[in-house]
Amino acid sequence: MNSGYQHSGVDDIHTKVLLTSMSAMVAETTTFPIDLIKTRLQLHGESLSSSRPTSAIRIGLGIVREQGALGLYNGLSPAIIRHIFYTPMRIVGYEHLRSVVSADYASLSIISKAIVGGISGIVAQIIASPADLVKVRMQADGQRGRQGLQPRYSGPFDALNKILRAEGFHGLWKGVFPNIQRAFLVNMGELACYDHAKQFVIRSRIAEDNVYAHTLASIMSGLAATSLSCPADVVKTRMMNQAAKKEGQVLYSSSYDCLVKTVKVEGIRALWKGFFPTWARLGPWQFVFWVSYEKFRKFTGLSSF
């Protein structure tokens, strides 16, 4: 099977960066409402006023009822900005590292691919973490309206400015460690599983290197990524959402503290809050992304991922 790493040179790298950005923007816009619902579901239970059981459907209907259909896209702009940095670095980075580890990448084990995927995710997430922080804060802002509170931010640049003033430059990387943990797990599951699953589907002659193989591989990688990353995602979301009070107090002092308090107060199952919305988003997101990306590569003359 051909691979994109055979196309060396600066032009090919620039093309891949552009194509991954375009594909990610399409996928993010298509599935963003599910991500918003997932974030609200993960934050549910942090305050006494939201202690009643809820569901993804109830949260989604509540957003539409209170903010209209456009409320489902609250925080989309920082999400798009994040993916302009995050997705090209992890996808192109994975492809590059894969070729560095072995010239015959098809012979790589699933463990080797998982490690390469995790490393690519870590590097990309560190750089994109400020945009992720702004996205989470803006998504969580809609929940404040239901509690009779004023939104903290009027837009992504307002959020960025207020975070810098209130929490300093380092505040833009709040939650970076749970973010890194999640990025490692997500990319370990997503990239390695997609890569390996697609090869398996093609080698087993279940499908050719076409949209059917890409769809099957994306579904399997989405399930693997969600199962591995959901606990880290819950911790990451809660750590990034908390803003320091005037007294300098915060609800969670560290990722471990957040993990312990979440389990103690809400039980072990709370670590998989938002599992189905996460999977429901990752599945369609990866389907849209990988099918778009593979088609774009073919259209521009690059070989299959």
Side-chain angles (χ1 to χ4, degrees), residues 37-97:
I37 293 171
K38 177 213 70 174
T39 299
R40 297 281 181 86
L41 195 60
Q42 289 174 335
L43 294 174
H44 183 81
E46 281 195 309
S47 63
L48 294 176
S49 61
S50 61
S51 58
R52 290 188 310 166
T54 190
S55 66
I57 295 176
R58 187 177 298 173
I59 288 176
L61 291 175
I63 293 172
V64 173
R65 184 172 57 251
E66 295 170 11
Q67 304 174 40
L70 291 179
L72 292 171
Y73 287 90
N74 187 23
L76 176 62
S77 51
I80 293 293
I81 294 171
R82 171 184 178 265
H83 273 288
I84 290 175
F85 295 98
Y86 177 65
T87 301
M89 282 186 288
R90 70 187 184 93
I91 300 295
V92 179
Y94 172 83
E95 204 169 359
H96 175 71
L97 287 176

Side-chain angles (χ1 to χ4, degrees), residues 83-304:
H83 273 288
I84 290 175
F85 295 98
Y86 177 65
T87 301
M89 282 186 288
R90 70 187 184 93
I91 300 295
V92 179
Y94 172 83
E95 204 169 359
H96 175 71
L97 287 176
R98 183 179 67 179
S99 65
V100 170
V101 172
S102 175
D104 180 18
Y105 88 89
S107 64
L108 283 177
S109 67
I110 185 69
I111 301 298
S112 298
K113 291 177 181 177
I115 294 173
V116 170
I119 293 172
S120 302
I122 287 175
V123 174
Q125 190 58 64
I126 289 174
I127 297 173
S129 195
D132 202 16
L133 175 68
V134 172
K135 183 194 77 168
V136 170
R137 293 281 181 90
M138 288 189 65
Q139 286 180 333
D141 248 14
Q143 194 171 9
R144 293 171 62 87
R146 301 179 64 183
Q147 300 171 357
L149 302 173
Q150 283 290 108
R152 293 174 292 184
Y153 316 111
S154 60
F157 294 106
D158 179 57
L160 184 66
N161 184 45
K162 286 182 177 177
I163 292 170
L164 278 170
R165 285 191 299 174
E167 303 171 49
F169 183 75
H170 69 279
L172 293 174
W173 275 267
K174 178 171 286 185
V176 68
F177 291 111
N179 227 355
I180 288 173
Q181 294 161 10
R182 178 187 179 275
F184 179 85
L185 293 169
V186 165
N187 287 281
M188 182 175 70
E190 177 189 341
L191 297 178
C193 188
Y194 177 83
D195 192 0
H196 214 70
K198 192 178 84 166
Q199 287 184 45
F200 173 79
V201 168
I202 295 171
R203 281 200 309 264
S204 303
R205 298 186 178 179
I206 297 173
E208 298 294 328
D209 190 358
N210 54 29
V211 67
Y212 301 108
H214 305 158
T215 299
L216 289 172
S218 67
I219 290 173
M220 287 185 274
S221 65
L223 183 58
T226 305
S227 300
L228 287 170
S229 68
C230 206
D233 195 25
V234 171
V235 172
K236 180 215 76 167
T237 299
R238 294 189 174 194
M239 285 292 293
M240 295 182 76
N241 181 56
Q242 67 173 355
K245 298 179 181 179
K246 292 183 179 179
E247 301 82 8
Q249 297 177 339
V250 291
L251 183 59
Y252 311 115
S253 60
S254 66
S255 302
Y256 178 74
D257 182 52
C258 179
L259 178 70
V260 172
K261 286 181 178 178
T262 299
V263 173
K264 185 177 180 180
V265 175
E266 303 171 54
I268 190 71
R269 293 177 61 185
L271 295 177
W272 277 270
K273 270 190 173 183
F275 176 87
F276 289 107
T278 300
W279 187 36
R281 180 185 186 247
L282 273 177
W285 194 99
Q286 291 195 45
F287 168 73
V288 175
F289 172 80
W290 286 113
V291 171
S292 300
Y293 185 46
E294 297 275 21
K295 289 293 184 183
F296 285 150
R297 287 176 69 111
K298 185 177 180 180
F299 179 76
T300 55
L302 292 172
S303 55
S304 179

Side-chain angles (χ1 to χ4, degrees), residues 20-32 80 285 288-289 292 296:
T20 49
S21 297
M22 290 171 56
S23 302
M25 289 171 65
V26 173
E28 189 68 18
T29 303
T30 304
T31 61
F32 187 80
I80 293 293
W285 194 99
V288 175
F289 172 80
S292 300
F296 285 150

